[in-house]
Structure formats: C-alpha cells, structure tokens
C-alpha cells in the first residue's frame, strides 16, 4: 500500500488508496473522495505503526455503519473563544498531573495547532475612520488577562502558534494562508505526503472544504484530545452526493445560492452526514464561491461540505500567493493518489444523491430566526408583518401595531437597528464584496444616506478585503454610508455587535419595538446578534447596504424606493444594483498574489501590542485566585474513587426535569456568547464580585471562568422553557413545589436535595455552534441526562465528552407526544447495561398518580464513547492516561 513520488529531487512516500481499495474489494472510482481521504488516513497510520488494524480499513470499505474509525488529524485550528478554554483545560490537566507526581511535559500539543484570536473583538466604535484602532485598543484592554494566558500557552506548548488580534477571522485566514492542502511531513525518518485533514474548535471549519481540504468542527473537548495526539474516534460517515447543476443567474449572488443549498439540504435531512458536491456546475464555481457554500455546512446540518481538489483549487492557491513548488506538490500528489477530480460529472457510490439547480437561486434573506428559513426579497415584508401579531408559541413576535413616534423618529416595528457586513462566509468572496461597494457608490452618487438609527459596520475576515476595496476605489463610498472598517474578527455574526445608540436602545425597551438586524453572516438565532433585536436576517453584503439605506425590513424593493436622493428623486433598488459585467471587471483587483503576500507577510495590527504583553513562562500556569477571567476549572478535582456509570445509574433512579424545550434548541440558547446582562445569574455574580457592568465583557470573554459559564447555561434572554410557556429567558419551575426561579437556582436546589436533573428536548437538540460550554455548563449544573427526539452531531458528542448521557425517544415519540409536562418524577432503569451494550433504557414518569412508561435509546455511537461515559467524560479519561494515580481505571459497567 506504500508508493513513492519523486518531487524536487526528493523521494516522497504516500499511502496508495487505490491499492488499499482494491485489496478491500472496492474500485477506487466507486469511493467518494471523503472516504478516500479517510482511507488514506487509516492506511498511513497503519504503515507508520499507529494502532490501526486491517479491520478498521475493511469496515470503512465494506460500509459497516457501526464502524469506529481511529483517525489521526494533521492539525487542529481554534478560535480564541473555544481555544482558550481548551488550553485552560490542558493547563489544569498539567496542574493535576503535577499534584500526583506525573510527567507534566507529557501534556503537550503533538500536532500543529493554530489559534486565531478573532472572537473577542466587539463593535464598541463604528461609523468613523478611527473605529478600527479604537476597537482594537478596547479589545486589548478588556482581554489583557486572557491574552497573557494565551501568550504563556504559546511558550508552554511546543506546536502551538498564536495569530494575534487583528489578523482576521479564523476560517478566512485558514483558507487564504494556513491550509497547505497537501501536508509534507517526516514520519519515522522518511518524507511522507498526505491530505491535509483538520478539525477545528468552531463549527464553520468545513469552509476549508471549498479548497479541497477535509475538515469539520468539533467541541473544544474533542480538540483537546486530538492535539494531545490521541486517535479521534469517528463513526463511519454516510456520504450524501449533492449534484449541482445550472448557474447562478444575476441578480442572484453566491450568498443566495448558499441559502438555497442550506434550505434544500435541511429539508433533505443530511444531519450528521458528509456532503460531497459534484455535477456540471462544479467547474464554474470558484473556490471563493465553493467556500461560501461549504461554510454553511453546520446550517444545513452536515458534518462537512466538500469539493475535491481540481484546477480551481490550484488557481486559488496561486491567487493567494502560495509557494509555486508546494502548489506543484499538491497537483502531483493528488493526481498520483486519486484525490484529483478531473471530471466533475463522475458519480461515486454515494449513500444517496440530492439534486440542486443553482439557477433556482434568487435574491433572498433568511430569517428572522433560522438560517434555513430562506425567503425571496418580495416575501420578506409580508412575512415580517404576519409574524408581528402571531403568538410567540407559533413563531411570531406577539406584539401589537406600533405607530411612528416623533419623539424618537423611529418608524415603528421593523426598523433596521443593525446593518453589518461581517463574517468569513461572505467577506471571503470578492464578488459579493465588490457588489456591496458598487451599491454604495451608486447610492452616494445619487445622494442617498443611511438613517441615523441604523448602526452600520464592516468587519472583514481578512485584511486583504480592505486592500482590494481600496484598489477598486470602493472603500470611500462604503465609509460615506457608515460602513467603515471596525476591525478584523468575528463580530456581529457571533454576537459581539456592541451597544446600540442609547436613544435607539431606549426606544426599543420603552415601546416594545421589534427591531431588525441585517447581516452578511451565517447565523441569526434568537438572542445571538443583539439582546434587544428580535428579528434577524442574513443575506448578501449588497443587500445589507440596501436595507441600511431603507432603514426598515418591511419594504418591498420591487414597488417602493430605497430612499429619496438629490432633489427628492426616488431611488429604487434596481437603480443601485450592479451588473455582473461591472463586478467581473473589478475582480482582478482581488486576485493579485502580491496583495495576499503583502498582507500575510507583515504583522497584524495587534501584533505590536501582543508582543508587549507581559506573560508568565514555564510549564505550569500560575493560577491567580483573585482572577475572574481565568479560574482553574473543576473538571480534574475529586478524581479518586470514581464509579461514573454506577453513580449515573444511582442518580437517575429519581430525577426531575430542569427544563423542557421544543425543536431546534441551539447551543446559543444553551450557552450565549454576547453581552452579559446585569439582571442574570452571571451578571449578578460579577456585580457581587465588585466588577462594574462596563467591565463585564461578553460571555465569550468570560469562558475562562466556570462560575460565570455555569450561571450562563440556559440563560439566553430569548430561550423558551416549556415549563414556563409565557416567559422568555433562563427561568424554570422547581418541583414538586412548582416555584418559579432561575434555571441556575433550581439546579442548585436539586443538587442540595440530592435529586438528579434532566432536560427534555425535541428534534435537532443542540443545533448551531460547536460550543463546548453548552455541554460543560450542562454537566456543571448537575444535569445527568438529556432526553430528546434527535441531536445535532457536535453537541451530542460534547455531552458524551462531559459525561452527560444523551438519550433519544423512540421514532415517532417525544415528550410532547407522550403527554409529558415536565412536572413528573422520572425514574430510569437499565443504565449500566445501556452504556455497555446499547440496550434501551426503561423510563417511568409519574405525575399525580398517573404513570407514563416508555423506552429511550442511548446515543452512544461508538465503543470509544461508551468508554468515555464509563470514565465520567473525556477529561477524566485523559487524566487517567497521563496520571493513573489520580483516579481509578474504570471499566464499563463498574
């Protein structure tokens, strides 16, 4: 299975996937490309002596759905939001190992790790030329303690590389600069080439699939194990082939095509599958366009969205200034090892095929709460108005009509409070960014302005965007409309939209207005974008500019003018929209390799301040007991005498429902990322510690403090707990007395009473971000099990990683279908056998003398996951490996 490739005078070894497939009774042409990459990973690991056997390879080739693949990633990539907690766990692991006399140095990054500091930037300042610098200064002030920890980690973990503030957004930096596509590495003294395979601590890691790199998002918990060099155990994936046909027809743009794909694949049910694109449309899609579609993989529920390497991949590598010799290696290796796709129409043996015609794409928005809820522009206004009076339980806003008030000059419900050109999803695509600039130019030339109530901002995912907009002469027009560069990072899309103007915030709160946000992001979940904005829409950057100019979401662009320009003349959207020819004429400005080389060849704006940070050194981090940013996590305490499965079984003998939720509960609902309101458990905790509200930072900024994050769990201000159907926010009822209190307080009372807590959910529980704190917080609240109709992949794995048992109702059943209310006393039996053998758990729910009995299936997909539950979660499992004296070795069923 080993072959040689001669490149630049060197002999390069590689694992031959065609030979391996043939040995397993398969033709290489029948294998989807993602399976070829997984096959290569298994074969190479076996050739270099890793614990992979023939049975693992055979299971992949023979379509054994229960197969567990021991994969070894080539690298890990992390944003600071999940990367800092992951590194903090490793620092705590070192401290725990040190306490029992273990080898501290053994706790180290054994694969390359890139951490991009991009998730802490907030839009505190906007609308002027100084906004970028002022936001950067504020970011560094606010996060100095966190950043000193990261700087310590850079010298403590040998294969960790930190990209400082101001570099860009992780996924855009990855595709433009970091991703090698093919890795060249010395293994056992020999040069090996193999496909880049990355897992990331952010759910949009699949964006790199647009370049031909297999990657997907995991929780920080899984990332920790992978960077420690452990096998990443992954169930054999089903691969859905998505045949793309047709072309995107103007005035539609790539964003509109991505929203179309998202809607159709959600409807097709690809959750947990790998999506591989093929078909006649593929050769015409640039890598930038492919990356936008791949970026949305979490939104359509897939593990990844993958476009195999082809000529477009090489063209992009050249456009972004990559080394020509390494580009030659990419081409030579991929062609030699059957990872090059020359014929986009070829159809491997996919588990199923979904057909999508890109010509169906039309200018659209998705919203007001989910990215898969796509609407053509003509329907947006009517849909919004219909939802105003509709009860919240039916997906509406439950409000009465609001007339304009001369006191605040706001037009009433539906006014646009935020308009943000943001997110790697779209700012990585020069065509849509040039289109936004062209719309801005025409608007300025016609005398249009943005209403004063609209907060406008532009936060590109790369400094390259600024350079090519400058070269094209479009940046000044965007700035004239208030779309000044506010920095380079994941801002509004990730909930760091910053404050609204005081008069706008006051009007929303006093008048109960339903305000709108329009952004070029990938997520618009409730409470994510801004706590005061209830209607959130995602769309292409030029649409962001149009809605900013209009100042309201309930506008019909076909019939109404965007605004009135010079001499009061009406200006319509059709007057501002650029032609495809105009856009194409500007694209060479964005495809200049020298531009990328210049940007990535010099330091980011925050590099000097980063270097000036005074950080500790040494292998052990000096924890500060007075810190409210970096608190040593409790995950490695009380290790001695553990019997996790037996404890789980005893705890679930009597359990109460802490909260009950409907379908599509997101990890944003479970663990919010934006600002910390003072009237929440987390806000009160910080205030009681003497911290002024202006210094609270965001939940992302406080992820190093488990006290804050435990209190934040299920505390999203828009979360809807069915135990209190008429209340929004993190409140619940405590049983059996039925008293109303915060979820945090109820969880604390159940712990004091010795009663286990459980959570009930509907379909797609845990959709959204790969947010490990959604699982960590769940565990720290004392929740022992989550019982739902179905789970999103990453969050289910994170729950297992934290020792929380995910259980699924039988098909067709759910807590609502069974007539449960959440007030019942639950008893679970058969837990130990279920963990060991995957057998059903018997559940008895008793309420006022009525007994409801049903079965639930443990959602433990691999033997490795059963071992993790038996160990009490991955962190305790890792501690056992590095310092066996710290805890007992736990067998399943102990």
């Amino acid at each position: 299975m080993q072959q040689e490739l001669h490149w630049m005078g060197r002999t390069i070894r590689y694992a031959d996937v065609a030979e391996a497939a043939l040995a397993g009774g398969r033709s290489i042409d029948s294998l989807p490309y993602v399976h070829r990459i997984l096959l290569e990973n298994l074969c190479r690991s076996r050739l270099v002596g890793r614990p992979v056997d023939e049975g693992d390879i055979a299971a992949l080739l023979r379509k054994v759905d229960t197969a567990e693949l021991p994969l070894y990633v080539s690298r890990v990539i992390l944003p600071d939001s999940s990367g800092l907690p992951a590194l903090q766990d490793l620092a705590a692991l070192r401290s725990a190992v040190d306490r029992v006399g273990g080898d501290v140095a053994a706790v180290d990054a054994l694969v390359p790790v890139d951490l991009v500091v991009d998730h802490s930037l907030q839009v505190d300042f906007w609308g002027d030329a100084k906004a970028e610098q002022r936001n950067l200064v504020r970011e560094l002030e606010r996060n100095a303690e966190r950043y000193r920890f990261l700087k310590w980690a850079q010298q403590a973990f040998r294969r960790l590389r930190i990209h400082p503030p101001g570099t860009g957004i992780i996924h855009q930096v990855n595709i433009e600069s970091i991703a090698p596509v093919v890795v060249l590495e010395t293994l056992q003294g020999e040069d090996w080439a193999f496909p880049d395979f990355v897992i990331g601590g952010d759910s949009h890691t699949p964006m790199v699939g647009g370049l031909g790199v297999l990657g997907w998002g995991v929780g920080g918990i899984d990332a920790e194990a992978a960077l420690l060099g452990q096998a990443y155990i992954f169930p054999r994936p089903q691969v859905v082939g998505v045949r793309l046909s047709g072309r995107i027809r103007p005035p539609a743009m790539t964003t509109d095509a991505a929203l179309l794909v998202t809607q159709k694949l959600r409807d097709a049910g690809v959750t947990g599958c790998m999506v591989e694109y093929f078909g006649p449309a593929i050769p015409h899609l640039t890598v930038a366009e492919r990356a936008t579609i791949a970026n949305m993989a979490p939104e359509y529920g897939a593990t990844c969205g993958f476009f195999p390497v082809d000529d477009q991949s090489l063209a992009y590598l050249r456009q972004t200034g990559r080394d020509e010799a390494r580009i030659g290696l990419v081409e030579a290796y991929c062609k030699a090892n059957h990872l090059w796709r020359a014929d986009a129409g070829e159809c491997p043996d996919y588990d199923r095929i979904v057909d999508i015609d890109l010509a169906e794409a039309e200018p659209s928005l998705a919203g007001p709460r989910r990215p898969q809820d796509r609407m053509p522009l003509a329907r947006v206004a009517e849909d919004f108005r219909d939802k105003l009076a509709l009860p919240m339980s039916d997906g509406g806003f439950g409000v009465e009509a609001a007339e304009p008030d001369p006191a605040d000059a706001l037009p009433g419900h539906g006014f646009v409070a935020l308009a943000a050109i943001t997110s790697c999803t779209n700012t990585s695509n020069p065509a849509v960014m040039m289109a936004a600039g062209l719309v801005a130019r025409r608007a300025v030339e016609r005398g249009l302005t943005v209403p004063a109530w609209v907060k406008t901002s532009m936060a590109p995912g790369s400094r390259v965007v600024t350079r090519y907009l400058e070269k094209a002469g479009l940046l000044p027009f965007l700035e004239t409309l208030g779309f000044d560069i506010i920095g380079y990072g994941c801002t509004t899309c990730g909930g760091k939209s910053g404050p609204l103007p005081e008069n706008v915030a006051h009007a929303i709160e006093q008048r109960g207005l339903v305000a709108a946000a329009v952004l070029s992001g990938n997520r618009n979940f409730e409470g994510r974008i801004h706590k005061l904005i209830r209607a959130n829409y995602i769309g292409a950057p030029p649409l962001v500019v149009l809605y900013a100019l209009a100042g309201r979401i309930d506008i019909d662009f076909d019939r109404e003018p965007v605004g009135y320009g010079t001499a009061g003349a009406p200006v319509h959207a059709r007057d501002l929209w650029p032609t495809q020819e105009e856009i194409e004429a500007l694209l060479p400005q964005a495809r200049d390799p020298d531009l990328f080389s210049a940007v990535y060849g010099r330091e980011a704006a925050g590099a000097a301040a980063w270097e000036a940070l005074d950080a500790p050194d040494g292998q052990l981090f000096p924890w500060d007991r007075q810190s409210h940013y970096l608190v040593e996590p409790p995950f490695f305490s009380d290790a001695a005498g553990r019997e996790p499965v037996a404890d789980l079984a005893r705890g679930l003998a009597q359990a109460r429902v802490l909260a009950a939720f409907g379908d599509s509960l997101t990890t944003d609902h479970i663990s919010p990322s934006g600002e910390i309101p003072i009237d929440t458990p987390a806000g009160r905790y910080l205030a009681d510690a003497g911290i002024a509200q202006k210094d609270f930072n965001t939940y992302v900024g406080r992820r190093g403090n488990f006290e804050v994050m435990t209190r934040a769990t299920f505390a999203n201000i828009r979360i809807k707990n069915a135990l209190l159907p008429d209340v929004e926010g993190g409140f619940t009822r405590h049983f059996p007395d039925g008293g109303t209190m915060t979820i945090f307080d109820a969880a604390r009372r159940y712990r004091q009473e010795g009663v286990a807590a459980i959570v009930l959910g509907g379909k797609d529980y845990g959709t959204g971000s790969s947010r490990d704190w959604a699982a960590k917080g769940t565990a720290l609240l004392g929740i022992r099990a989550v019982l739902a109709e179905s789970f999103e992949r990453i969050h289910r794995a994170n729950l297992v990683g934290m020792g929380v048992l995910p259980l699924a109702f039988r098909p067709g059943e759910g807590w609502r279908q069974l007539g449960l209310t959440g007030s019942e006393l639950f008893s679970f039996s058969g837990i130990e056998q279920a963990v060991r053998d995957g057998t059903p758990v018997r559940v008895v729910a008793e309420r006022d003398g009525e007994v409801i009995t049903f079965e639930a299936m443990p959602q433990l997909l691999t033997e490795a996951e059963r071992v993790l539950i038996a160990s009490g979660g991955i962190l305790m499992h890792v501690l056992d490996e590095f310092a066996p004296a710290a805890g007992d070795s736990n067998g399943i069923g102990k």
Side-chain angles (χ1 to χ4, degrees), residues 86-392:
L87 295 173
Q88 188 181 16
D89 285 347
L90 297 190
L93 176 58
R94 278 191 173 181
S95 296
V97 170
D98 181 63
R99 285 193 288 269
V100 297
D103 182 6
V104 170
V107 181
D108 204 352
L110 299 183
V111 299
V113 181
D114 285 282
L115 188 149
V116 182
V117 183
D118 70 334
H119 271 56
S120 297
L121 178 67
Q122 295 183 51
V123 190
D124 293 305
F125 305 98
W126 66 95
D128 65 56
K130 296 180 180 179
E132 178 191 349
Q133 182 59 31
R134 295 174 73 191
N135 282 322
L136 180 61
V137 169
R138 186 73 183 100
E139 175 189 357
L140 291 164
E141 290 173 350
R142 185 184 277 134
N143 296 284
E145 188 176 347
R146 297 173 65 239
Y147 291 173
R148 280 193 289 270
F149 171 81
L150 291 177
K151 195 171 180 184
W152 165 82
Q154 187 169 24
Q155 60 83 43
F157 300 106
R158 59 192 175 95
R159 301 194 76 178
L160 170 66
R161 178 171 57 171
I162 304 286
H163 302 260
T167 300
I169 301 176
I170 176 173
H171 309 303
Q172 193 163 343
V173 175
N174 190 19
I175 200 169
E176 289 181 356
S177 176
I178 298 174
V181 184
V182 170
V183 178
L184 186 61
E185 189 171 304
T186 301
L187 301 172
Q188 297 182 334
E190 297 178 323
D191 289 336
W192 283 78
F194 49 90
D196 186 13
F197 169 37
V198 59
I199 60 172
D202 186 277
S203 56
H204 291 99
T205 302
M207 178 174 170
V208 77
L211 182 57
V213 173
L214 183 60
W216 59 81
V218 299
I221 302 163
D222 278 339
E224 291 167 31
L227 66 85
L228 289 170
Q230 298 200 343
Y232 173 54
I233 307 298
F234 193 73
R236 181 193 177 278
Q238 286 201 338
V239 181
V240 176
V242 176
R243 180 163 38 215
L244 298 179
S245 61
R247 296 202 185 192
I248 304 169
R249 297 184 300 192
M253 296 196 165
T254 310
T255 313
D256 303 305
L259 293 177
L260 172 73
V261 169
T262 299
Q263 182 185 50
K264 287 188 173 292
L265 292 185
R266 266 292 171 185
D267 291 343
V270 299
T271 299
C273 300
M274 290 187 173
V275 164
E276 184 170 293
Y277 293 98
F278 73 108
I282 297 296
H284 310 295
L285 291 174
T286 66
V287 166
E289 292 172 316
R290 297 174 184 185
T292 299
I293 294 170
N295 178 282
M296 297 292 284
E299 282 65 56
Y300 43 83
T303 300
C304 66
F306 186 70
F307 292 82
V309 174
D310 62 5
D311 287 320
Q312 290 281 10
S313 309
L314 300 188
Y316 186 81
L317 291 174
R318 291 192 171 94
Q319 289 166 14
T320 50
R322 291 342 206 270
D323 178 71
E324 191 62 39
R326 291 303 295 266
I327 296 172
L329 176 63
V330 170
E331 181 176 13
Y333 169 77
C334 289
K335 287 182 174 178
N337 207 18
H338 302 274
L339 297 175
W340 176 273
R341 182 165 62 188
D343 178 9
E346 65 176 318
C347 183
D349 186 11
Y350 295 118
D351 291 284
R352 59 189 169 108
I353 292 174
V354 176
D355 282 286
I356 298 177
D357 183 358
L358 295 180
E360 293 180 24
E362 57 184 314
S364 306
L365 290 184
R369 295 185 179 92
R370 300 190 308 174
Q372 63 263 42
D373 294 334
R374 180 185 71 100
M375 293 174 286
L377 291 190
R379 279 187 49 209
V380 173
E382 180 183 4
D383 180 82
F384 175 79
R385 286 191 288 265
D386 289 345
K387 284 184 167 62
L388 281 176
L390 200 66
M392 288 190 293

Side-chain angles (χ1 to χ4, degrees), residues 560-581:
E560 301 176 70
V562 175
Y564 295 88
T566 307
V571 180
H572 292 82
R574 58 182 173 270
D575 302 322
L576 303 178
W577 203 258
T579 66
Q580 189 64 28
E581 291 73 22

Side-chain angles (χ1 to χ4, degrees), residues 84-85 88 120 122 138-149 621 623-633 676 685-686 689 691-709 773:
L84 187 145
Q88 188 181 16
S120 297
Q122 295 183 51
R138 186 73 183 100
E139 175 189 357
L140 291 164
E141 290 173 350
R142 185 184 277 134
N143 296 284
E145 188 176 347
R146 297 173 65 239
Y147 291 173
R148 280 193 289 270
F149 171 81
F621 182 72
W623 302 102
D624 180 0
R625 293 181 180 273
Q626 303 304 312
S627 174
H628 285 88
Y629 270 109
L630 295 165
V631 181
E632 185 172 2
I676 304 173
Y685 165 81
L686 292 172
I691 298 170
Q693 186 177 3
K694 68 180 180 63
D695 296 321
F696 278 7
N697 208 327
T698 62
Y699 285 115
V700 166
R702 295 285 178 179
R703 281 184 184 167
N705 185 334
F706 73 89
E707 297 281 9
V708 171
M709 297 310 297
W773 262 111

Side-chain angles (χ1 to χ4, degrees), residues 519-536:
L519 61 149
S520 62
N522 45 45
R523 294 243 166 97
N524 55 341
F525 301 134
E526 292 177 291
R528 178 183 176 94
I529 305 305
H530 192 281
K531 67 177 183 178
L532 295 179
I533 298 178
R534 299 175 63 186
N536 299 281

Side-chain angles (χ1 to χ4, degrees), residues 59 107 192 234 394 404 428 449 538 596 616 623 659 730 818 858 876-877:
V107 181
W192 283 78
F234 193 73
D394 295 329
S428 59
T449 59
I538 54 180
F596 288 85
W623 302 102
L818 290 168
M876 297 308 297
H877 179 70

Side-chain angles (χ1 to χ4, degrees), residues 6 18 24 29 32 75 132 338 360 382 465 487-488 496 640 739 776:
H6 298 285
D29 293 335
R75 60 188 177 94
E132 178 191 349
H338 302 274
E360 293 180 24
E382 180 183 4
V465 177
Y488 302 92
K496 278 82 66 181
K776 286 178 176 178

